[in-house]
Amino acid sequence: KAGVTQTPRYLIKTRGQQVTLSCSPISGHRSVSWYQQTPGQGLQFLFEYFSETQRNKGNFPGRFSGRQFSNSRSEMNVSTLELGDSALYLCASTFQETQYFGPGTRLLVL
Amino acid sequence: GEDVEQSLFLSVREGDSSVINCTYTDSSSTYLYWYKQEPGAGLQLLTYIFSNMDMKQDQRLTVLLNKKDKHLSLRIADTQTGDSAIYFCAESVNQAGTALIFGKGTTLSVSS
């Protein structure tokens, strides 16, 4: 089976812009979770989607949002980008209590 | 709130055993995980343990869980230079294992 895929792999934006990242889970996996990884804060849970519904949410501001489509693909959106949003954004799909991570999207906000 | 702590750095010689330690706070965690991250890459699942187990062995990897002390360890036998990476301990804050709290990671450096 193909692994979790994320697009794009790299992205450069400027402050105030918005960005949309995409994640395709492993075939058959219905849960997609998103994480932000920064050198200072480490890996932090953003949110999880299951059957097109947000099922769990971390402690991030409302500028961070997501959605899931009927084919389980997920997108996350960050509006009004700030310099501190520069990070590696990882998504993971879950099967039998085990998360499998994609390679991540590296976002740089200038 | 939930928190996971790990030592930040470990240096070993090739062929030695490595032991990476982790403490967590949420006693209701159902699953505990170890992930590996190499430079520029995503997270690779190494192994996980269910909270009602004390030990799990998987080839060169041994996980020990002390639930009373909320202490988790990962032992890598016969450590190789290819094991050099960052190792993350994580606890699941829900039964489904879809929301993980990660430690800051332990950088393992293996010298030949």
Side-chain angles (χ1 to χ4, degrees), chain B residues 66-85:
Chain B
N66 181 330
K67 202 170 177 184
K68 175 177 167 288
D69 294 338
K70 296 179 192 166
H71 182 267
L72 184 72
S73 67
L74 173 69
R75 178 177 178 268
I76 305 172
D78 187 27
T79 313
Q80 303 297 307
T81 54
D83 294 324
S84 293

Side-chain angles (χ1 to χ4, degrees), chain A residues 31 33 35 37 40-41 43 45 48 55-56 94 97-99 101-103, chain B residues 31 33 35 37 42-43 45 48 88 94-100 102 104:
Chain A
S31 166
S33 301
Y35 294 83
Q37 185 177 26
Q41 298 299 315
L43 278 152
F45 172 73
E48 179 228 350
R55 190 163 66 167
N56 290 283
T94 303
E97 298 83 34
T98 303
Q99 290 203 317
F101 282 80
Chain B
Y31 293 93
Y33 304 83
Y35 282 89
Q37 187 176 39
L43 295 171
L45 175 69
Y48 66 97
F88 292 93
N94 63 4
Q95 293 263 346
T98 55
L100 303 185
F102 284 87
K104 288 283 198 308

Side-chain angles (χ1 to χ4, degrees), chain A residues 17-90:
Chain A
Q17 287 187 310
Q18 72 155 10
V19 68
T20 300
L21 312 182
S22 180
C23 172
S24 292
I26 294 171
S27 177
H29 292 191
R30 293 169 61 192
S31 166
V32 174
S33 301
W34 288 90
Y35 294 83
Q36 181 196 65
Q37 185 177 26
T38 59
Q41 298 299 315
L43 278 152
Q44 295 184 282
F45 172 73
L46 280 154
F47 33 64
E48 179 228 350
Y49 285 85
F50 180 84
S51 292
E52 302 178 62
T53 302
Q54 188 181 87
R55 190 163 66 167
N56 290 283
K57 188 176 187 308
N59 190 27
F60 276 80
R63 300 186 298 109
F64 292 82
S65 63
R67 60 177 176 167
Q68 187 179 36
F69 302 93
S70 58
N71 61 357
S72 295
R73 189 177 71 85
S74 177
E75 290 181 346
M76 70 163 278
N77 185 76
V78 188
S79 62
T80 320
L81 283 165
E82 300 176 0
L83 295 179
D85 296 333
S86 294
L88 179 68
Y89 290 88
L90 293 162

